[in-house]
């Protein structure tokens, strides 16, 4: 009996349509905390991408001379959540009109960027951006870049699940918590454990 349950569980895992998305939209602690709440998201990992330094460290990226952005890599089940829904969350949870900045976080590492994994993601991202540009949703022009993912580097372990582990840390309390509460109100229909 137990063997049958394990086999069925493994079959369910293998039939999930697992895909990846990589976004940069400011501090990766904030973005990671938001996407971890989304039903269909299997895992979110903080990392670096878009630069010219191999295996960058947080200290190097923070100095702004690697050209890497702080990003999150989202592992998701596309049978439960679409890439378009992940894009919607991306656009609605940061300011895509501020160049190299999100709130008090300033530098190229905080730029707004979508790193596409395949042609479909590229086309969907470009189409969404054009639609937003035409809509006039923002009074300033959108500065988000859409780039091919060339390399991704996982951030140091102490950055992973940062908000979950450090909820009372000052940055988490004053910056991330309000974003999480706003996100839960706007996207309540797609939250895990509704």
């Amino acid at each position: 009996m137990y063997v049958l349950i394990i086999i069925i569980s493994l079959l369910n895992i293998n039939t999930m349509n697992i895909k990846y998305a990589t976004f940069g939209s400011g501090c990766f602690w904030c973005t990671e905390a938001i996407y971890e709440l989304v039903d269909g998201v299997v895992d979110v990992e903080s990392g670096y991408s878009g630069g010219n330094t191999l295996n960058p460290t947080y200290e190097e990226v923070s100095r702004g001379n690697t050209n890497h952005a702080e990003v999150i890599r989202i592992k998701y089940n596309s049978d439960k959540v679409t890439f378009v829904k992940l894009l919607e969350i991306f656009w609605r949870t940061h300011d895509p009109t501020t160049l190299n900045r999100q709130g008090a976080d300033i530098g190229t590492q905080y730029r707004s960027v979508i790193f596409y994994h395949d042609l479909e993601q590229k086309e969907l991202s470009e189409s969404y951006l054009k639609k937003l540009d035409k809509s006039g949703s923002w009074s300033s022009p959108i500065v988000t870049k859409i780039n091919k993912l060339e390399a991704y580097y996982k951030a140091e372990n102490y950055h992973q699940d940062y908000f979950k582990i450090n909820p009372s840390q000052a940055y988490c309390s004053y910056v991330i918590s309000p974003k999480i509460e706003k996100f839960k109100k706007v996207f309540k229909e797609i939250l895990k454990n509704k």
Side-chain angles (χ1 to χ4, degrees):
M1 178 70 171
Y2 292 114
V3 173
L4 182 59
I5 292 170
I6 291 170
I7 290 171
I8 290 170
S9 295
L10 289 173
L11 288 173
N12 286 338
I13 290 170
N14 291 334
T15 59
M16 289 193 320
N17 197 356
I18 298 297
K19 295 189 177 183
Y20 291 88
T22 304
F23 301 136
S25 57
C27 173
F28 49 27
W29 297 344
C30 299
T31 314
E32 179 188 62
I34 287 170
Y35 280 96
E36 284 181 339
L37 299 172
V38 178
D39 191 28
V41 169
V42 177
D43 187 41
V44 185
E45 184 178 88
S46 292
Y48 314 110
S49 194
N52 46 20
T53 301
L54 298 176
N55 301 308
T57 65
Y58 180 70
E59 289 74 25
E60 291 171 325
V61 173
S62 295
R63 285 194 292 267
N65 55 10
T66 67
N67 203 34
H68 282 292
E70 287 191 13
V71 299
I72 54 154
R73 184 173 68 173
I74 305 163
K75 180 180 181 181
Y76 66 101
N77 177 352
S78 63
D79 293 333
K80 286 189 154 193
V81 63
T82 65
F83 181 72
V84 171
K85 182 54 79 173
L86 298 177
L87 280 174
E88 180 186 353
I89 295 166
F90 169 81
W91 293 113
R92 293 181 70 182
T93 56
H94 82 291
D95 183 351
T97 68
T98 54
L99 185 63
N100 301 328
R101 177 184 192 144
Q102 286 301 308
D105 296 323
I106 300 170
T108 57
Q109 68 271 30
Y110 300 116
R111 67 187 179 269
S112 177
V113 59
I114 298 166
F115 289 104
Y116 62 87
H117 289 243
D118 56 36
L119 211 48
E120 180 185 27
Q121 285 187 357
K122 178 182 189 234
E123 291 168 357
L124 289 169
S125 299
E126 289 173 345
S127 172
Y128 210 122
L129 175 60
K130 285 177 189 169
K131 184 173 79 171
L132 286 174
D133 266 341
K134 287 181 183 175
S135 75
S137 298
W138 286 276
S139 56
S140 300
I142 296 171
V143 296
T144 302
K145 298 292 182 199
I146 299 171
N147 299 326
K148 182 179 182 186
L149 180 70
E150 299 291 345
Y152 165 82
Y153 302 97
K154 180 180 177 182
E156 296 81 352
N157 286 337
Y158 67 91
H159 289 297
Q160 307 306 324
D161 298 314
Y162 193 85
F163 178 73
K164 196 182 298 181
I165 296 167
N166 305 285
S168 50
Q169 190 260 7
Y171 187 88
C172 293
S173 295
Y174 296 109
V175 177
I176 302 175
S177 286
K179 283 186 172 198
I180 294 289
E181 291 312 309
K182 181 179 177 184
F183 176 77
K184 286 179 178 179
K185 289 176 185 168
V186 174
F187 287 96
K188 60 184 167 224
E189 77 285 353
I190 63 163
L191 295 177
K192 290 177 181 171
N193 307 317
K194 297 174 212 149

